Amino acid sequence: MTKLDVIVKSVSAETALIRRVVFARADDAPLPGYAAGAHITLDVPSVGARKYSLVSADTTPSATAQPSTYATAVRLEINGGGGSRYIHALKAGDRLSIEPPQNNFALKPPIGRTILVAGGIGVTPLISMAAELRASGHPLQFVYAARTDTEFAFKPELFALAGDQIILHADDSAGRVFDMASFFTTLAADERVYMCGPKPMLKAGMDAARKLGWPRDRLAFELFYSVAAPATPQPVTDGSFDVVLKSSGKSFRVPPDKSILDVLIAAGVDPMHDCKRGECGVCQVGVLEGTPDHKDVILSANERATNKVIQICISRSKSPRLVLDL
């Protein structure tokens, strides 16, 4: 993919830990357009590729169709892989190359009101969604959860976009995390939900949607990666084995050229999943019997040793049979 040479136009603090960075071409020529939910990819020295969502609260169509700048926001992760530290060290005038915008989290044509649910720095792609919805006249509600009141970024822009349809939830003030299950029960059947945040928030949302019997396309999500994973996981090429689902007792044969996830989707089970590369943890399920052959890139050494969970999009089995908590 052809890279874009850009310079850092400005760097500003959104919160104590979040920096907004604006990029532009050196000659201020227009950049490739994008739609809400898109991200750019930076090649961070000594770290590798890192993807960051584009942020735009501008409701003018040309703001993203023919942008003169790209803006993103990054939270500093002290114990992360180094990408956030690199971004936080950037200053106006720095030059770098980026990949043009790509989008794996685009808005679908809305039916009723669109619900945007953000957790922490996961707010970034949803701001652009709110702007796109506002520009087209579609109703929306914005839910923004953070650990503390001091961690909310882009508040002026969000209130301008969502008005009285914004819910701010600070865990420390409320004394608990946001109650996704209760919130989902208040939504009308024609309201689609888009979520972006850390894995525990997404899991709570997916669990709630599943219990309520929502159709799969009603909840769209994107995981916020505090530490990005390598782009090339190990291939799925090992021998066949059987997978048994606890809930139904049904058994499925997993051949060498297919993943557990592939087999279950083909059988109509359709578990929650996202990246299909063993990077995000969304497809993780419990292992009740058998020994997984872990091929993901997110489990800790201790988690691998206990063999209590498996990423079904890529990991396989060392035993002839796995019984999964599905």
Side-chain angles (χ1 to χ4, degrees):
M1 180 178 292
T2 303
K3 298 283 187 76
L4 300 173
D5 293 324
V6 297
I7 64 169
V8 177
K9 196 83 170 179
S10 65
V11 180
S12 57
E14 282 293 320
T15 71
L17 292 176
I18 296 174
R19 295 289 183 273
R20 185 197 309 224
V21 183
V22 179
F23 303 100
R25 292 189 192 270
D27 60 0
D28 288 326
L31 291 158
Y34 65 93
H39 64 267
I40 54 174
T41 302
L42 282 66
D43 188 14
V44 179
S46 303
V47 175
R50 294 293 185 268
K51 304 178 187 299
Y52 298 107
S53 296
L54 290 171
V55 183
S56 175
D58 194 332
T59 56
T60 307
S62 61
T64 55
Q66 295 179 307
S68 59
T69 61
Y70 291 152
T72 189
V74 178
R75 176 187 168 90
L76 180 63
E77 300 290 340
I78 303 299
N79 297 317
S84 69
R85 293 194 297 274
Y86 172 80
I87 297 297
H88 275 239
L90 291 174
K91 59 186 181 301
D94 284 348
R95 294 176 177 267
L96 62 160
S97 293
I98 63 173
E99 290 184 8
Q102 295 177 286
N103 200 335
N104 302 316
F105 192 43
L107 282 168
K108 298 177 182 178
I111 303 172
R113 186 176 61 160
T114 298
I115 312 300
L116 307 174
V117 182
I121 195 59
V123 71
T124 49
L126 301 183
I127 293 172
S128 297
M129 288 186 177
E132 190 170 301
L133 290 164
R134 180 70 181 270
S136 59
H138 291 293
L140 66 101
Q141 183 176 44
F142 205 109
V143 178
Y144 188 6
R147 295 189 186 96
T148 71
D149 288 301
T150 61
E151 295 187 33
F152 292 116
F154 299 97
K155 281 176 67 173
E157 291 92 336
L158 286 173
F159 276 102
L161 292 169
D164 61 0
Q165 291 300 302
I166 186 168
I167 298 173
L168 296 179
H169 174 94
D171 294 349
D172 62 346
S173 299
R176 57 174 176 80
V177 298
F178 185 73
D179 190 342
M180 202 72 65
S182 295
F183 175 67
F184 278 8
T185 63
T186 69
L187 302 181
D190 63 352
E191 294 177 332
R192 183 177 281 124
V193 178
Y194 295 82
M195 296 179 61
C196 185
K199 188 163 66 175
M201 168 180 268
L202 296 190
K203 185 177 187 305
M206 289 185 285
D207 287 346
R210 187 183 296 112
K211 289 177 181 178
L212 290 169
W214 283 11
R216 176 65 190 277
D217 64 353
R218 188 177 173 188
L219 174 63
F221 52 85
E222 185 169 71
L223 178 69
F224 159 60
Y225 295 86
S226 59
V227 180
T232 307
Q234 300 178 47
V236 178
T237 56
D238 297 339
S240 299
F241 58 95
D242 293 318
V243 164
V244 180
L245 307 189
K246 174 190 174 185
S247 61
S248 64
K250 291 183 177 179
S251 179
F252 302 91
R253 188 70 172 173
V254 181
D257 61 340
K258 293 187 181 298
S259 69
I260 300 171
L261 179 63
D262 290 334
V263 170
L264 295 182
I265 290 175
V269 178
D270 199 18
M272 288 293 181
H273 61 276
D274 187 9
C275 73
K276 291 188 176 181
R277 298 185 300 272
E279 299 175 4
C280 70
V282 171
C283 71
Q284 177 175 297
V285 299
V287 177
L288 303 177
E289 294 180 27
T291 305
D293 184 8
H294 299 292
K295 297 182 180 297
D296 63 273
V297 290
I298 63 169
L299 290 180
S300 67
N302 183 61
E303 288 171 323
R304 289 170 180 268
T306 58
N307 287 323
K308 297 298 184 183
V309 295
I310 185 174
Q311 317 303 313
I312 60 173
C313 70
I314 194 161
S315 294
R316 300 189 66 76
S317 181
K318 293 180 179 178
S319 55
R321 188 179 83 143
L322 287 177
V323 178
L324 302 182
D325 192 13
L326 269 176

